């Protein structure tokens, strides 16, 4: 029982930590959107079928940069933009 509560607590901490990575302020959000759009453009140049796949997708997320960290287990961190029908809906 205690083990299950510990796992639940760890999961909640990870979820809330992930939500706190959203950029604050309009300028930081605009910069992230520009970076995400640039990343998608680079991938489209490398894969001609990507535009069709994005057009068929209901939503997608773009992480322009991802950092890596880890001590034995490993982990990653990144800020990204969430799109729904080609409109930004979140970070």
């Amino acid at each position: 029982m205690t083990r299950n509560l510990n796992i639940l607590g760890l999961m909640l901490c990870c979820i809330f930590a992930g939500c706190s990575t959203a950029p604050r302020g309009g300028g930081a959000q605009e910069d992230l959107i520009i970076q995400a759009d640039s990343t998608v453009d680079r991938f489209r140049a490398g894969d001609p079928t990507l535009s069709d796949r994005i057009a068929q997708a209901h939503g997608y997320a773009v992480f322009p940069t991802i950092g890596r960290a880890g001590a034995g287990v490993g982990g990653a961190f990144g800020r990204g933009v969430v799109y729904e029908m080609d409109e930004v809906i979140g970070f």
Side-chain angles (χ1 to χ4, degrees):
M1 180 71 171
T2 303
R3 183 173 188 265
N4 289 340
L5 288 175
N6 288 339
I7 291 172
L8 178 64
L10 179 63
M11 288 173 51
L12 288 174
C13 288
C14 290
I15 289 169
F16 289 121
C19 294
S20 69
T21 62
R24 307 220 190 285
Q29 292 176 351
E30 271 304 311
D31 289 342
L32 187 57
I33 292 170
I34 291 168
Q35 291 173 6
D37 289 342
S38 174
T39 300
V40 170
D41 290 341
R42 281 194 327 251
F43 278 106
R44 282 183 174 149
D47 182 3
T49 65
L50 184 62
S51 292
D52 293 336
R53 292 180 188 177
I54 287 176
Q56 293 173 356
H58 184 73
Y60 58 96
V62 179
F63 293 86
T65 58
I66 297 176
R68 295 184 191 148
V73 177
F77 169 85
R79 291 184 180 191
V81 182
V82 180
Y83 295 86
E84 181 179 30
M85 306 297 284
D86 278 338
E87 296 291 324
V88 175
I89 63 164
F91 299 92

